[in-house]
């Protein structure tokens, strides 16, 4: 019998843009989140907006797991979109968002390809670069990491630009 999450009594399929779902998540109705898995559009501004909206719902002691935090140059760079290709736009990658949000950018810069572990009073982090990167963040103590980002308006503006690349052109 193949694994099917639908058989789990606490599993719910939620379809939609992850940032928007997090924005409108009702913790009173749906509860807090023990494990958040982030694997979306592979650019920092999207990952940051997901963190902005979902982090308040992640419970203390919970985990946030990020996929694609160490992939080869030229992969998932959105160069398929004419505007990105024509203007040679370089969007920051997911690991940049994780580093900035949690204040551990220097660890990704120094050890991104070799992996690292990190721990302080608030978080413990394990970055595994194999298979294009998997980074696990254990939220030991909830603090306001959103203040690590200086200009959230710019982040949301960039995110909306990137999401716009995926909209179908009118026929």
């Amino acid at each position: 019998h193949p694994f099917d999450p639908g058989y789990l009594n606490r599993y719910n399929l939620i379809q939609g843009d992850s940032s928007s779902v997090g924005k409108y998540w009702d913790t009173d109705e749906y509860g807090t989140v023990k494990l958040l898995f982030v694997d979306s559009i592979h650019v920092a501004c999207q990952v940051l907006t997901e963190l902005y909206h979902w982090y308040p719902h992640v419970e203390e002691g919970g985990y946030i797991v990020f996929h694609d935090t160490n992939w080869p140059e030229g992969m998932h760079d959105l160069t398929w979109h004419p505007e990105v290709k024509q203007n040679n736009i370089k969007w920051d990658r997911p690991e940049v968002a994780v580093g900035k949000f949690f204040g551990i950018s220097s660890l990704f810069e120094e050890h991104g390809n070799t992996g690292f572990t990190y721990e302080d009073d608030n978080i413990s982090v394990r970055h595994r670069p194999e298979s294009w990167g998997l980074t696990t963040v254990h939220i030991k103590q909830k603090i306001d990491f959103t203040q690590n980002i200086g200009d959230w308006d710019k982040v949301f503006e960039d995110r909306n630009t990137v999401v716009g690349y995926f909209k179908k052109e009118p026929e």
Side-chain angles (χ1 to χ4, degrees):
H1 180 0
F3 174 75
D4 180 354
Y7 286 105
L8 300 174
N9 64 351
R10 297 216 42 208
Y11 175 85
N12 291 305
L13 173 63
I14 302 168
Q15 291 182 311
D17 166 60
S18 179
S19 291
S20 298
V21 172
K23 181 177 182 178
Y24 296 106
W25 185 262
D26 184 341
T27 302
D28 291 333
E29 183 174 350
Y30 305 118
T32 57
V33 176
K34 293 179 184 179
L35 172 67
L36 178 66
F37 186 76
V38 178
D39 183 19
S40 63
I41 299 172
H42 300 119
V43 294
C45 57
Q46 173 67 17
V47 173
L48 282 170
T49 62
E50 289 168 315
L51 282 167
Y52 181 87
H53 291 302
W54 278 107
Y55 180 73
H57 307 299
V58 176
E59 63 186 48
E60 191 166 275
Y63 293 84
I64 305 175
V65 180
F66 302 89
H67 191 240
D68 297 316
T69 53
N70 192 70
W71 31 275
E73 193 69 37
M75 298 295 296
H76 297 294
D77 284 343
L78 306 178
T79 53
W80 52 266
H81 192 274
E83 180 182 328
V84 173
K85 193 173 202 166
Q86 181 179 354
N87 296 325
N88 198 29
I89 298 171
K90 300 289 184 195
W91 292 105
D92 284 335
R93 297 165 179 252
E95 62 270 25
V96 172
V98 176
K100 285 181 177 179
F101 189 83
F102 291 106
I104 56 171
S105 295
S106 62
L107 293 172
F108 281 100
E109 291 163 7
E110 186 176 347
H111 305 288
N113 292 324
T114 58
F116 61 84
T117 57
Y118 169 80
E119 187 165 359
D120 63 23
D121 291 341
N122 304 309
I123 58 174
S124 62
V125 180
R126 178 147 185 232
H127 171 65
R128 301 165 191 87
E130 57 277 1
S131 185
W132 293 11
L134 187 72
T135 301
T136 304
V137 179
H138 177 214
I139 308 300
K140 295 167 39 179
Q141 182 175 308
K142 291 277 294 232
I143 65 168
D144 183 11
F145 287 107
T146 61
Q147 58 192 319
N148 288 338
I149 306 302
D151 188 354
W152 279 106
D153 289 338
K154 176 71 170 136
V155 170
F156 287 112
E157 179 183 317
D158 287 349
R159 182 262 183 192
N160 290 340
T161 297
V162 167
V163 169
Y165 296 159
F166 293 88
K167 292 183 179 174
K168 287 186 176 182
E169 294 294 323
E171 294 181 20

